[in-house]
Amino acid sequence: MEIQFSRIIQGCMTWGVWGKNFNTSEMAKRISENVDLGVTSFDHADIYGNYTTEEAFGHALSQSQISREKIQLISKCGIQLVNENRQSFVKHYNYQTNYIIRQAEQSLKNLKTDYLDLFLLHRPSPLMQSDEILEAVSQLQKQGKIKAFGVSNFTPQQIDFLTPSIDISANQIQCSLTHYQPIEDDTLFYHQQHNITTMAWSPLGESLKLGENSVLKQNLNKLSKQYNCSVSQLVLAWLLHHPAQIYPVIGTTDSQRVKTAFESLNIRLKHQDWFKLYQASRGHEVD
């Protein structure tokens, strides 16, 4: 992908009413703090905050007076939450051409920007049709409203359904030390083979919730002392070590934790230590 995202991406799902409910000034402050740290990529979805967080972020971005060229904006569409104002009475997916275009344009309006650096389909739909998606993506890219297009939570087979006609630049998936399935089901190999950027949501997984008797927790505690870092930094370093060049999407709303996450980029995990943690998480050694 030609677009350069920050190696750590800030997820904004809990910045609004689904979480901390920051006011405009608080949100603007955090945007500025992130950019100062080097975390310049911000991940959104139209549904966050029940369709309100993007707009709140857009107001904050304007107040921050940060140049649009200094940041990268990511958003997603497709999930339809139950919402009477939208005439949606059952949770479902919608990937009709007009809907994709309308939601992309709504995200642009909400975020107060002329373009999205990356626009994703939020989850695969059993009713999605590749020709309708292609028409929407082609129009949005031709008009300069999206720089790159990708998917989220798609399997390699689902990506194959789209790729004969659509260029998939990224796939945002759940991946972490405690959710390592994308490593074992060849998803990451597929991304590497097809030059698809891997973005990982919930990159810490369950690692901070482990009991003290957990073998993985014991290994994390021991190695974090060895590397002079926190457990959360070590878990991110484990993910960053993978040759797929994974981009963790962190969900914290705490500025100090963002700084801590960014500092994980400085950790150089030894090859065997990576496997030591992998083995501890799996519960058995590799074959």
Side-chain angles (χ1 to χ4, degrees), residues 5-9 38 41 240 242 244-248 262 265:
F5 295 93
S6 57
R7 203 65 177 81
I8 301 293
I9 295 172
S41 301
L240 291 162
H242 195 280
Q245 296 291 298
I246 299 168
Y247 288 72
F262 191 75
L265 296 169

Side-chain angles (χ1 to χ4, degrees), residues 46-47 51 77-81 91-93 99 122-123:
D46 56 357
I47 62 170
Y51 305 99
C77 85
I79 298 177
Q80 285 269 50
L81 300 179
K91 186 178 180 181
H92 62 286
Y93 308 118
Y99 183 79
H122 206 154
R123 286 190 178 274

Side-chain angles (χ1 to χ4, degrees), residues 72-178:
Q72 303 79 46
L73 295 176
I74 304 164
S75 196
K76 318 173 195 73
C77 85
I79 298 177
Q80 285 269 50
L81 300 179
V82 174
N83 187 302
E84 289 188 14
N85 293 332
R86 298 170 63 91
Q87 297 297 302
S88 177
F89 303 108
V90 61
K91 186 178 180 181
H92 62 286
Y93 308 118
N94 189 342
Y95 290 128
Q96 295 177 328
T97 301
N98 290 340
Y99 183 79
I100 294 172
I101 293 172
R102 186 166 68 249
Q103 286 306 109
E105 292 175 340
Q106 185 62 51
S107 289
L108 295 178
K109 179 181 178 181
N110 289 342
L111 294 167
K112 299 187 183 302
T113 182
D114 295 327
Y115 65 93
L116 294 172
D117 295 277
L118 178 64
F119 186 52
L120 308 173
L121 303 186
H122 206 154
R123 286 190 178 274
S125 170
L127 300 182
M128 63 185 178
Q129 299 183 55
S130 59
D131 57 338
E132 292 199 28
I133 295 169
L134 172 61
E135 184 178 347
V137 172
S138 297
Q139 181 174 321
L140 289 168
Q141 288 185 317
K142 184 177 180 180
Q143 294 173 345
K145 294 177 179 178
I146 63 173
K147 300 296 184 184
F149 172 75
V151 294
S152 182
N153 304 299
F154 274 54
T155 65
Q157 294 83 358
Q158 290 162 341
I159 293 174
D160 281 340
F161 175 72
L162 299 179
T163 49
S165 53
I166 305 173
D167 182 24
I168 304 294
S169 297
N171 187 16
Q172 190 175 123
I173 58 173
Q174 183 179 8
C175 187
S176 67
L177 177 58
T178 58

Side-chain angles (χ1 to χ4, degrees), residues 7-274:
R7 203 65 177 81
I8 301 293
I9 295 172
Q10 174 69 70
C12 299
M13 184 177 73
T14 58
W15 281 31
V17 298
W18 281 1
K20 293 295 184 179
N21 199 19
F22 293 134
N23 62 35
T24 302
S25 296
E26 291 170 331
M27 201 174 285
K29 179 183 176 184
R30 278 161 176 79
I31 294 172
S32 297
E33 289 173 341
N34 275 38
V35 172
D36 289 343
L37 282 171
V39 179
T40 59
S41 301
F42 297 88
D43 179 73
H44 291 271
D46 56 357
I47 62 170
Y48 290 168
N50 198 19
Y51 305 99
T52 64
T53 302
E54 280 188 333
E55 185 176 13
F57 184 95
H59 289 307
L61 181 59
S62 294
Q63 186 178 107
S64 74
Q65 296 187 330
I66 291 173
S67 170
R68 175 65 178 87
E69 289 68 33
K70 288 186 177 181
I71 66 169
Q72 303 79 46
L73 295 176
I74 304 164
S75 196
K76 318 173 195 73
C77 85
I79 298 177
Q80 285 269 50
L81 300 179
V82 174
N83 187 302
E84 289 188 14
N85 293 332
R86 298 170 63 91
Q87 297 297 302
S88 177
F89 303 108
V90 61
K91 186 178 180 181
H92 62 286
Y93 308 118
N94 189 342
Y95 290 128
Q96 295 177 328
T97 301
N98 290 340
Y99 183 79
I100 294 172
I101 293 172
R102 186 166 68 249
Q103 286 306 109
E105 292 175 340
Q106 185 62 51
S107 289
L108 295 178
K109 179 181 178 181
N110 289 342
L111 294 167
K112 299 187 183 302
T113 182
D114 295 327
Y115 65 93
L116 294 172
D117 295 277
L118 178 64
F119 186 52
L120 308 173
L121 303 186
H122 206 154
R123 286 190 178 274
S125 170
L127 300 182
M128 63 185 178
Q129 299 183 55
S130 59
D131 57 338
E132 292 199 28
I133 295 169
L134 172 61
E135 184 178 347
V137 172
S138 297
Q139 181 174 321
L140 289 168
Q141 288 185 317
K142 184 177 180 180
Q143 294 173 345
K145 294 177 179 178
I146 63 173
K147 300 296 184 184
F149 172 75
V151 294
S152 182
N153 304 299
F154 274 54
T155 65
Q157 294 83 358
Q158 290 162 341
I159 293 174
D160 281 340
F161 175 72
L162 299 179
T163 49
S165 53
I166 305 173
D167 182 24
I168 304 294
S169 297
N171 187 16
Q172 190 175 123
I173 58 173
Q174 183 179 8
C175 187
S176 67
L177 177 58
T178 58
H179 187 88
Y180 49 79
Q181 285 80 353
I183 294 174
E184 301 196 337
D185 66 12
D186 294 339
T187 295
L188 295 188
F189 282 128
Y190 180 92
H191 289 180
Q192 291 172 263
Q193 180 184 5
H194 296 277
N195 196 31
I196 295 172
T197 298
T198 304
M199 296 179 176
W201 58 268
S202 192
L204 296 179
E206 299 296 315
S207 59
L208 302 185
K209 302 177 183 178
L210 299 169
E212 291 302 322
N213 293 327
S214 162
V215 174
L216 176 56
K217 181 63 177 294
Q218 293 170 1
N219 275 270
L220 285 168
N221 288 340
K222 181 179 179 180
L223 285 174
S224 64
K225 292 178 182 177
Q226 180 179 318
Y227 283 91
N228 192 29
C229 67
S230 68
V231 168
S232 63
Q233 287 176 316
L234 186 63
V235 172
L236 288 178
W238 184 88
L239 205 59
L240 291 162
H241 186 80
H242 195 280
Q245 296 291 298
I246 299 168
Y247 288 72
V249 181
I250 60 173
T252 183
T253 57
D254 184 279
S255 298
Q256 182 56 47
R257 289 180 181 175
V258 175
K259 183 176 185 293
T260 298
F262 191 75
E263 290 171 349
S264 67
L265 296 169
N266 298 321
I267 300 171
R268 296 293 176 262
L269 202 60
K270 293 179 181 179
H271 195 71
Q272 290 192 54
D273 287 338
W274 190 92

